Amino acid sequence: GSGMMDMPVISVERWFDMDPEVYPLGLMPEYGFVLGASQGVSYDMSLAPRSPFFKIKVKRQPVLHTMLRHIMEKGQDKRALEIALKCSQHPQFVDSLEWLLYETVLDYDPERRKGPKHGGGANHGLASMNSNDILENFSSSSSLVSNSAISNSAVLHPSDTNLFPRVLRLLKYFGEYEDIVVRCARKMDAKHWPLLFSYAGEPAALLEQCFTSNRLYTASCLLVILQEMWGFISSTPHSLRLLEAALNKGEVDLAMELSTFLMKADRAGVLNAKQVRMKEDMSWVALASKQEHSDRKISTPQRWEFRSQVVDAQIVYFFRSALYDVKLRAIVAVSAKFEFPLAEFLRRESSLVARALMDPGDVLLKLHRQFELLEPSPQEMTDAWAFAKRKLMRLAGEGAMSNSNSATLTSSGPTAGAGTGAGAA
């Protein structure tokens, strides 16, 4: 009787529900998911009639975001941050944080101050495991994080009963914060955006942060959010800067998407020469493109029919800068993608082309690196130099002989003339 009284009381916390059609096989803490097996039916199409047969499918279910959510619901925000830092090297770590934010946004109720709801489900083995056991498995599979990595002044307030703002404060400890917010926003209905960005930060501010850190793809996604929430007027200035940055970084596909966005804004009437500071007339681009396609006898609609002078101006400015640095590969790539009349541009910028090609050796070296040409071996360079020297010496010898013959003819010319004159006399 006394032995029974001395036994410790074990509490079981249910915080994870496995897919009822999946049988759990085990936890894989190094990847952040539970591995399970399910059955399916497939048919052998080679047999007549078709014969069904069963097969085993291996499935995985993420568990990290559910675990972090459970820990934070208990008010242990600092513990959740420790676990998140230990798991930051997991392949699907960012996806887990995205799911954590997505679920808390949808369950957030600012009026009732209600905690998130949990749906029911079958309780398969791992679903009833103590959360401390799971934490130990995750901790043992990841590198240890010292308590000094988490500042004592960390802005984590477990007393705040609203999980959604606390999750955002947790996410701000990681450099992928803006990426997580944007990916989460793209997955949810636009009606939740005002709530999300009222806590996560204004889209314009997040876009500026992404632009500063050269995350152009995330910044371009924020353009769509800005346009949906406030129209083209708020997003156009940012799209111009992003287009310029994408061209300079060689992100041609992204630049094409941004140009399409700008052309829509142009057709909507929110672009003008004063806003984009255009000082040149770019109508020649469309005319030259039309002429090139008519020369090729192309009848299908081409990009020149939908050109925007704002986009063409940005391309011209980029070409001038790239030509000055002899970035010919980038110029060719952009010209091919945008169907830009490169020949007409080079004709108009002939003086700039001449200045860029003043040093042939430097130009050849840059072309060699840009197009990743194989470098010649030292022996090949020696042989080429010897051949060039022999060629130059032969040319120099032929030139000297030609000069001597010309001098002889010149000196004999008056004598012969004098003799002829004397004979005539």
Side-chain angles (χ1 to χ4, degrees):
S2 60
M4 295 291 292
M5 297 294 294
D6 295 338
M7 291 182 62
V9 178
I10 301 176
S11 61
V12 178
E13 301 172 356
R14 176 170 176 170
W15 58 273
F16 176 71
D17 289 321
M18 193 72 181
D19 186 344
E21 296 185 358
V22 178
Y23 184 84
L25 299 177
L27 176 69
M28 302 191 69
E30 65 273 16
Y31 296 104
F33 58 79
V34 173
L35 196 65
S38 66
Q39 64 179 2
V41 179
S42 61
Y43 294 89
D44 191 347
M45 304 301 295
S46 62
L47 300 178
R50 294 185 305 170
S51 300
F53 61 93
F54 292 95
K55 64 179 181 179
I56 302 298
K57 298 179 181 179
V58 178
K59 291 188 176 182
R60 59 187 183 183
Q61 183 169 343
V63 68
L64 177 59
H65 71 283
T66 308
M67 179 179 62
L68 293 176
R69 177 173 176 167
H70 172 70
I71 296 172
M72 297 185 72
E73 285 175 347
K74 296 172 62 178
Q76 301 177 6
D77 291 19
K78 187 174 180 180
R79 178 59 171 160
L81 178 58
E82 292 176 351
I83 298 299
L85 289 171
K86 292 177 181 180
C87 300
S88 60
Q89 300 302 319
H90 288 181
Q92 295 181 331
F93 175 70
V94 176
D95 296 334
S96 298
L97 296 185
E98 180 186 343
W99 276 112
L100 174 64
L101 178 60
Y102 180 83
E103 292 181 354
T104 52
V105 171
L106 297 184
D107 291 342
Y108 180 69
D109 190 344
E111 296 181 358
R112 299 182 181 180
R113 301 277 179 175
K114 226 174 160 184
K117 300 177 182 179
H118 291 284
N123 188 1
H124 291 287
L126 287 173
S128 60
M129 287 182 65
N130 191 308
S131 60
N132 291 327
D133 297 335
I134 305 292
L135 296 183
E136 291 301 325
N137 287 333
F138 272 86
S139 301
S140 62
S141 66
S142 306
S143 58
L144 296 177
V145 178
S146 62
N147 290 331
S148 60
I150 304 175
S151 173
N152 293 328
S153 60
V155 192
L156 294 173
H157 306 289
S159 60
D160 187 355
T161 57
N162 293 293
L163 184 62
F164 169 46
R166 289 160 49 206
V167 166
L168 285 173
R169 287 194 288 267
L170 173 71
L171 299 183
K172 288 181 179 179
Y173 279 86
F174 303 94
E176 301 87 356
Y177 173 74
E178 292 82 9
D179 303 87
I180 295 171
V181 172
V182 171
R183 289 169 58 177
C184 179
R186 295 182 65 185
K187 284 182 171 61
M188 63 177 51
D189 195 281
K191 66 181 182 181
H192 298 288
W193 288 357
L195 172 63
L196 173 62
F197 291 104
S198 65
Y199 283 89
E202 289 294 327
L206 297 176
L207 189 150
E208 190 65 30
Q209 181 64 30
C210 293
F211 182 81
T212 305
S213 56
N214 288 324
R215 287 176 288 172
L216 301 183
Y217 279 96
T218 304
S220 63
C221 294
L222 283 163
L223 278 179
V224 180
I225 296 175
L226 280 172
Q227 188 269 329
E228 291 289 337
M229 296 181 70
W230 293 291
F232 281 112
I233 296 178
S234 62
S235 59
T236 299
H238 299 289
S239 59
L240 290 170
R241 291 193 306 153
L242 286 173
L243 176 59
E244 180 182 359
L247 290 172
N248 291 329
K249 286 194 65 178
E251 303 287 351
V252 183
D253 293 332
L254 177 59
M256 174 63 75
E257 295 178 5
L258 292 169
S259 69
T260 304
F261 185 85
L262 278 170
M263 283 190 284
K264 291 180 181 179
D266 195 3
R267 286 196 290 268
V270 298
L271 285 180
N272 54 68
K274 183 178 179 180
Q275 182 182 8
V276 298
R277 299 177 182 177
M278 286 179 54
K279 299 180 180 179
E280 304 178 47
D281 181 15
M282 294 294 167
S283 58
W284 63 267
V285 178
L287 295 175
S289 298
K290 183 177 180 179
Q291 183 62 39
E292 284 187 1
H293 286 87
S294 62
D295 294 341
R296 298 175 188 174
K297 298 180 180 181
I298 299 177
S299 58
T300 56
Q302 299 295 322
R303 189 173 179 81
W304 61 266
E305 299 183 13
F306 314 102
R307 301 204 79 93
S308 169
Q309 291 197 29
V310 175
V311 176
D312 291 336
Q314 294 294 324
I315 296 176
V316 168
Y317 300 153
F318 165 72
F319 278 0
R320 288 172 180 168
S321 175
L323 190 59
Y324 182 81
D325 296 329
V326 199
K327 296 180 179 179
L328 299 184
R329 182 168 186 170
I331 292 176
V332 172
V334 173
S335 175
K337 190 71 174 181
F338 285 83
E339 298 183 14
F340 194 88
L342 183 57
E344 179 64 18
F345 167 77
L346 295 176
R347 187 187 68 81
R348 286 172 170 264
E349 304 289 340
S350 57
S351 59
L352 180 60
V353 173
R355 287 196 299 270
L357 303 180
M358 285 183 62
D359 188 350
D362 182 62
V363 171
L364 290 175
L365 181 60
K366 290 181 178 180
L367 290 176
H368 190 89
R369 293 173 178 172
Q370 291 176 29
F371 291 93
E372 300 178 355
L373 302 176
L374 295 177
E375 295 185 2
S377 64
Q379 184 61 39
E380 291 175 338
M381 295 178 64
T382 302
D383 296 342
W385 176 241
F387 175 79
K389 286 179 64 177
R390 291 195 300 270
K391 185 71 173 178
L392 289 173
M393 292 178 61
R394 183 161 56 250
L395 292 175
E398 293 176 355
M401 184 179 299
S402 176
N403 290 336
S404 63
N405 292 337
S406 299
T408 302
L409 291 175
T410 303
S411 61
S412 62
T415 306
T420 306

